[in-house]
Amino acid sequence: MSHPSAAWQALLAHREALSTTRIDGLFASDPRRGPAFTFRCGGLALDLSKQQLTAETLRLLLALAAEREVAGARERLFSGAVVNVTENRPALHTALRGEEHVHVGASDVLPEIERCRERMRTLATAVREGAWRGATGEALTHVLAIGIGGSYLGPKLVVEALAPTHPGPAVQFLANVDPTAADDALAGLDPARTLVVVASKTFTTQETMVNARRVRQWMLAGYEKSALPPDSVIARHFIAATANTRAAGDFGIPEANVFPFADWVGGRYSVWSSVGLPIALALGMPAFERFLAGAHAVDLEFRSTPAERNAPLLFALAGIWNRNFLDIPVHVVLPYAQRLASLPGYLQQLEMESNGKRVAADGSPVASPSCPALFGEPGTLGQHAFHQWLHQGTDSVSVDFVVVAKPMGSDTEAHRLLLAHAAAQSEALMTGRITDNPHRDCPGNRPSTTIVLPALDAASLGALVALYEHKVFVQGVIWGINSFDQYGVELGKEIAGKIEPALRGDAASLHPATRHLLGLLQ
Ligand code: F6P
């Protein structure tokens, strides 16, 4: 990877030409700017009009995408080529939500995907209708979903966003190894009425396994007085979603309760697989399938819409413009929807674990800054916390507003107010304000994108998540990054593996800084 290429240089020159142009000035000179910079995809509207860019910027960014052969990379992604080069496998999450016959090597992946979907349907229906019961015949009213990272963030996002509209068993999540997380999760649960779903691609993740073992103990303790053998209790109460079926079996979960997925499903792309079981249990399989269908619609459009109107592509390129040409190091995601409170956390993993890398796929250093830091909060909560920094801080920042057109909840007036705040924030970030008091001045010219969901429903949510996935993919291609590995998370895990036993015994072999810290913890 080497910059500056011809397309990159053209963008650098263009940046100079555009350096004094303000976003609100672009609106003043083009009354059609709003519609001209709004793109549709999967039923969503992507409004890029408040980005600091022009039609010429998009033309040059598209030339960069062509130079980086994004279209070819996209075809390799969808067709099951080895795009995860460091781990030597495809990244085929798109196949999980489609009906196409995609081949990995000689084998068609679709039959296995369909089989898994059918098994998910059977389980979800049986639990929801009371045909699948606990070991003593009680209906299962609660689901405890154990998992972390990609085995947690996606199901949590979707269940929280949609649960109120689809009553089913109440789903709780247990992710952190902090024992209070398990204490709190188990406090209100009755073992006889609880179904436990352990989601872990590897089935070796320490946090998940510690929690799974603890919950198994709790479950068996709950049945202590019954004459039931432990195996039959586990068989009625434990489900696994994993790519490591053997480890799930070793844990004691019978094969009939193991919902496998392939190793070409990346952890942070796994919500579309059996990792989505808590969604199907909480909302019903039809809702889960609408979630898949919403994402699939975006896949089809991403794959076939001409570049000039291709929303995921343009979304990604606007991000490249902000990061690499406007030098913006921080990206903020503001869902103006309380039920999307988990979206920023979900996107932190999707974006930062995928593209938070300093080495390109070929092992050379990346030639330009890659993934910005990402954080966010639901609107309007952030307005009373960090929006001060957005409007007047010394760092530049880019923002995504995610808004929902159809009123949510029971108070239409309050929803209108929520929308008014979203629109006001994006306008204020753009226009800023100059007064005769420097303390009140806001520089404005902060670029933002607004994504409009017609309603907060399963299809729109699937479309939203897929839109971000493809944004991340395109940006990875532009930066030359393999977006599908995550070696950076391993070092800390290895060191923790040495510290934990030392905490119980001799700490002499540890780093002096760690010995010092452990001393403070005595
Ligand atoms: O945080 C690292 C990571 O490997 C993520 O990529 C993954 O989503 C998470 O841990 C959980 O992994 P698993 O699903 O294997 O338990």
Side-chain angles (χ1 to χ4, degrees):
M1 285 296 307
S2 65
H3 296 323
S5 64
W8 199 272
Q9 267 174 346
L11 280 157
L12 288 172
H14 176 68
R15 170 177 71 180
E16 293 313 306
L18 212 63
S19 62
T20 55
T21 305
R22 286 184 58 92
I23 307 166
D24 45 357
L26 293 169
F27 270 93
S29 59
D30 178 5
R32 280 199 38 80
R33 182 172 172 83
F37 286 85
T38 298
F39 305 90
R40 309 268 165 186
C41 187
L44 312 183
L46 179 76
D47 179 2
L48 297 178
S49 65
K50 290 200 246 12
Q51 291 291 338
Q52 192 185 353
L53 46 71
T54 64
E56 176 64 1
T57 321
L58 289 187
R59 192 185 69 73
L60 293 170
L61 286 165
L62 288 169
L64 176 66
E67 187 188 76
R68 294 282 191 268
E69 297 177 353
V70 168
R74 181 181 61 198
E75 273 324 287
R76 285 198 296 284
L77 174 77
F78 280 96
S79 61
V82 174
V83 290
N84 180 353
V85 288
T86 50
E87 295 175 319
N88 193 31
R89 58 189 180 215
L92 262 181
H93 43 283
T94 51
L96 296 169
R97 53 214 190 200
E99 290 98 38
E100 288 90 4
H101 293 274
V102 182
H103 288 80
V104 171
S107 95
D108 181 353
V109 299
L110 189 61
E112 200 42 52
I113 290 170
E114 287 182 331
R115 208 172 79 85
C116 185
R117 272 188 219 151
E118 266 326 296
R119 290 188 59 213
M120 287 174 73
R121 183 189 327 282
T122 305
L123 177 73
T125 309
V127 171
R128 288 168 62 82
E129 292 178 356
W132 179 299
R133 289 173 176 261
T136 44
E138 308 257 19
L140 295 166
T141 52
H142 289 75
V143 172
L144 180 60
I146 304 175
I148 198 165
S151 296
Y152 154 68
L153 293 163
K156 180 164 177 282
L157 168 69
V158 181
V159 167
E160 283 177 3
L162 306 176
T165 54
H166 301 265
V171 177
Q172 270 178 261
F173 292 91
L174 172 56
N176 205 334
V177 75
D178 179 336
T180 62
D183 293 346
D184 294 350
L186 296 176
L189 295 179
D190 171 3
R193 295 174 173 276
T194 302
L195 183 70
V196 180
V197 179
V198 184
S200 175
K201 178 175 175 180
T202 56
F203 230 79
T204 56
T205 302
Q206 198 180 40
E207 295 91 330
T208 299
M209 297 325 296
V210 165
N211 281 326
R213 282 193 290 269
R214 170 151 176 210
V215 172
R216 181 177 56 188
Q217 238 171 27
W218 165 86
M219 177 68 68
L220 295 177
Y223 275 100
E224 220 162 34
K225 293 201 176 75
S226 77
L228 290 167
D231 284 1
S232 65
V233 173
I234 299 299
R236 298 312 294 170
H237 289 275
F238 270 73
I239 303 290
T242 185
N244 187 353
T245 52
R246 178 184 293 198
D250 292 347
F251 182 86
I253 301 180
E255 201 181 334
N257 292 13
V258 177
F259 290 70
F261 59 94
D263 73 344
W264 42 252
V265 180
R268 56 192 169 275
Y269 300 88
S270 63
V271 66
W272 320 102
S273 72
S274 56
V275 166
L277 259 173
I279 304 170
L281 287 161
L283 314 178
M285 194 63 186
F288 183 65
E289 286 179 317
R290 288 196 295 279
F291 174 65
L292 299 183
H296 185 53
V298 170
D299 293 343
L300 294 176
E301 292 187 47
F302 175 48
R303 218 172 161 183
S304 63
T305 306
E308 302 70 34
R309 290 186 281 114
N310 191 309
L313 175 64
L314 295 169
F315 188 30
L317 293 175
I320 293 286
W321 174 247
N322 287 334
R323 181 69 181 115
N324 296 124
F325 298 95
L326 303 184
D327 300 324
I328 296 177
V330 182
H331 187 61
V332 174
V333 177
L334 303 173
Y336 272 70
Q338 185 59 41
R339 286 178 184 155
L340 291 178
S342 291
L343 182 66
Y346 178 84
L347 294 177
Q348 270 172 346
Q349 190 201 24
L350 179 63
E351 300 219 5
M352 295 169 85
E353 198 167 80
S354 295
N355 285 340
K357 293 170 189 166
R358 54 195 299 114
V359 170
D362 64 7
S364 64
V366 291
S368 59
S370 60
C371 186
L374 188 153
F375 74 94
E377 269 282 306
T380 59
L381 303 185
Q383 289 173 207
H384 301 274
F386 56 82
H387 282 224
Q388 164 63 35
W389 175 84
L390 295 185
H391 291 290
Q392 288 191 318
T394 51
D395 291 294
S396 46
V397 59
S398 57
V399 179
D400 287 348
F401 290 89
V402 178
V403 296
V404 180
K406 186 174 170 200
M408 300 172 285
S410 52
D411 183 345
T412 316
E413 271 304 308
H415 185 260
R416 241 198 304 274
L417 201 57
L418 181 71
L419 294 186
H421 276 290
Q425 289 296 319
S426 72
E427 182 180 319
L429 285 169
M430 173 179 67
T431 59
R433 177 174 63 181
I434 301 301
T435 67
D436 52 8
N437 177 352
H439 294 288
R440 291 183 175 273
D441 285 356
C442 296
N445 214 30
R446 313 283 212 222
S448 72
T449 293
T450 301
I451 302 169
V452 180
L453 277 62
L456 187 50
D457 58 23
S460 298
L461 191 55
L464 181 71
V465 174
L467 177 70
Y468 274 100
E469 281 182 353
H470 294 319
K471 169 198 158 179
V472 166
F473 173 72
V474 170
Q475 293 186 339
V477 175
I478 303 272
W479 289 320
I481 282 172
N482 172 13
S483 302
F484 301 108
D485 63 12
Q486 59 283 322
Y487 291 111
V489 303
E490 285 177 11
L491 176 60
K493 287 187 196 171
E494 278 165 34
I495 297 178
K498 288 183 205 146
I499 294 175
E500 198 271 331
L503 269 170
R504 286 185 262 126
D506 179 15
S509 63
L510 298 180
H511 192 286
T514 303
R515 278 206 313 271
H516 161 70
L517 174 58
L518 296 188
L520 296 178
L521 292 169
Q522 295 300 308

